[in-house]
Amino acid sequence: MDYNVLLATQNDSIIGGVGIVIPKFLIFKFLIVPCGPIVLLEHEEIIDKLLSETIKHAKKLNCCYAQIMLPLLKSNNQSDFTISKINKSSLFYTGIRGSQFKFITVPNGLKIINFKELDFNMESIKKYISSDARRNIKISQKSNINFRDLTTLEDISEAYNLFIQNAKSKNYSIRDKKTFLPHIKSMIEKGTCVFFGAIYQDKIIGASLYLIAGKRITYIMGGNIGHEYNLRVGHNIHWQAFNFFIKTKPYAYDFTPGGPTSVKKFKSSFNSVDFNFIEPKHWILNKPLFYIFKNLYPFLQKHKKLISKILK
């Protein structure tokens, strides 16, 4: 799998860009924009140019398929983290609705607590979240649990095992530890990622992984075994992460939408607000080749884990 970034600049300053993922499988090549383009608010007029350059790039790479998830909301709600509007004549609307490539996860919206509106104040955040969340945090704080960011490969590996355990118990797959951990370590060193852990009796019993970008903290995944010690770690690890991040004054903490019912209920207990994106659009750039892929699709669906390893 390859990764590209297209940038828009003005007077030597970056004013926008597109992050691109390029999965490859046998003779098939796809261009996927998981969430973008991203531009400065005062430069939304360049969005269509970035879309056009993205499709040109897909054709140049001989991709049979291109897909773009534009961070544009379904409703008329406004957010500091999404595109405010796009013309109906935009190239985006020439695409076909929905996704026909299910092997790359794309965000379908945001689920945020707006720290900026709460004046970056922990007492205000405490009053904002639900009484159920506050109660669980208070109970957990009575336990002798320490919280800190995890930076060593040994700690990261131990914490990632919790994610693997969590994924197995809920029957979904995540990236292979051997290939993913070096990327996590590299992002931590660059300051674009934080691995936050809960430590009890010298053992990591809970962990959360975050990306830092666009003036917000984005929760990627987490897991804990606090129940094995009769400890309520889940709410408290997020509360401690709030404390950890608030010093840098990010505008928002994004829980990310989705997940099973129990996970959605947990995230909602922080009174996080949902902002749902419109559907992605896709373009079939090589119809014969994509037709072959579509006929192989039932087989690929049955072997998702194998295909994910091939695409990595």
Side-chain angles (χ1 to χ4, degrees):
M1 188 168 334
D2 293 331
Y3 305 89
N4 291 169
V5 177
L6 301 182
L7 296 176
T9 61
Q10 185 180 76
N11 299 326
D12 295 325
S13 296
I14 296 172
I15 60 173
V18 187
I20 295 168
V21 180
I22 305 168
K24 295 179 287 186
F25 172 65
L26 299 178
I27 59 173
F28 308 105
K29 190 184 290 187
F30 311 85
L31 183 146
I32 310 294
V33 177
C35 188
I38 304 296
V39 299
L40 294 178
L41 287 175
E42 62 270 26
H43 289 288
E44 287 193 344
E45 76 281 354
I46 68 168
I47 289 172
D48 225 41
K49 178 64 175 174
L50 282 167
L51 291 171
S52 176
E53 290 300 319
T54 301
I55 298 301
K56 285 182 185 177
H57 191 61
K59 292 176 179 178
K60 182 179 178 181
L61 295 174
N62 293 318
C63 296
C64 65
Y65 173 96
Q67 178 181 302
I68 298 174
M69 170 60 88
L70 192 70
L72 181 66
L73 299 180
K74 283 183 180 179
S75 66
N76 291 323
N77 291 345
Q78 294 296 312
S79 168
D80 291 334
F81 312 104
T82 59
I83 293 168
S84 62
K85 61 182 179 180
I86 189 170
N87 294 327
K88 291 297 180 182
S89 60
S90 168
L91 174 69
F92 182 71
Y93 290 109
T94 67
I96 304 166
R97 287 177 59 184
S99 169
Q100 294 195 43
F101 189 85
K102 308 294 184 181
F103 300 97
I104 298 291
T105 301
V106 298
N108 59 0
L110 309 171
K111 192 173 183 65
I112 65 173
I113 296 179
N114 196 314
F115 284 173
K116 184 181 178 184
E117 289 181 356
L118 294 167
D119 298 320
F120 309 106
N121 183 280
M122 288 304 297
E123 193 58 36
S124 298
I125 296 170
K126 186 177 181 180
K127 291 176 182 177
Y128 176 81
I129 64 179
S130 73
S131 57
D132 180 58
R134 287 197 299 269
R135 182 173 59 253
N136 283 326
I137 291 165
K138 187 175 180 179
I139 291 171
S140 178
Q141 286 177 334
K142 293 178 181 178
S143 305
N144 189 26
I145 306 173
N146 295 312
F147 297 87
R148 61 176 171 83
D149 57 323
L150 310 174
T151 57
T152 69
L153 202 55
E154 183 181 3
D155 281 348
I156 294 168
S157 178
E158 184 180 346
Y160 199 77
N161 286 337
L162 297 178
F163 297 172
I164 295 171
Q165 185 175 329
N166 196 51
K168 285 181 179 177
S169 68
K170 294 177 180 174
N171 197 31
Y172 65 88
S173 60
I174 60 173
R175 291 280 299 273
D176 175 67
K177 185 168 79 167
K178 185 178 179 181
T179 57
F180 196 34
L181 255 57
H183 292 297
I184 295 175
K185 186 73 165 64
S186 174
M187 288 189 293
I188 288 172
E189 290 169 351
K190 292 175 183 176
T192 58
C193 172
V194 168
F195 218 138
F196 200 67
I199 295 91
Y200 181 70
Q201 296 179 351
D202 296 323
K203 182 177 181 180
I204 298 172
I205 63 167
S208 297
L209 181 64
Y210 301 93
L211 289 182
I212 305 170
K215 294 185 178 179
R216 75 178 188 270
I217 307 300
T218 301
Y219 170 66
I220 303 301
M221 64 177 114
N224 77 79
I225 53 170
H227 58 279
E228 295 181 10
Y229 299 86
N230 198 28
L231 300 171
R232 302 189 186 189
V233 178
H235 283 92
N236 199 15
I237 195 168
H238 284 282
W239 177 252
Q240 298 300 330
F242 293 174
N243 276 283
F244 178 82
F245 289 118
I246 204 74
K247 302 163 191 172
T248 60
K249 293 192 174 182
Y251 283 10
Y253 186 100
D254 182 8
F255 279 95
T256 63
T261 303
S262 59
V263 172
K264 290 179 181 178
K265 184 178 178 181
F266 171 80
K267 292 177 179 178
S268 294
S269 69
F270 288 91
N271 288 331
S272 48
V273 179
D274 290 299
F275 292 91
N276 298 311
F277 295 159
I278 61 174
E279 284 187 284
K281 300 282 189 182
H282 69 268
W283 293 259
I284 299 172
L285 305 176
N286 185 323
K287 289 183 179 180
L289 198 57
F290 189 73
Y291 178 78
I292 296 171
F293 168 76
K294 285 287 289 181
N295 278 278
L296 283 172
Y297 193 75
F299 167 79
L300 301 177
Q301 279 287 88
K302 291 178 182 178
H303 299 84
K304 269 190 175 182
K305 289 184 179 179
L306 173 63
I307 301 304
S308 295
K309 288 181 179 178
I310 294 172
L311 290 174
K312 72 186 179 186

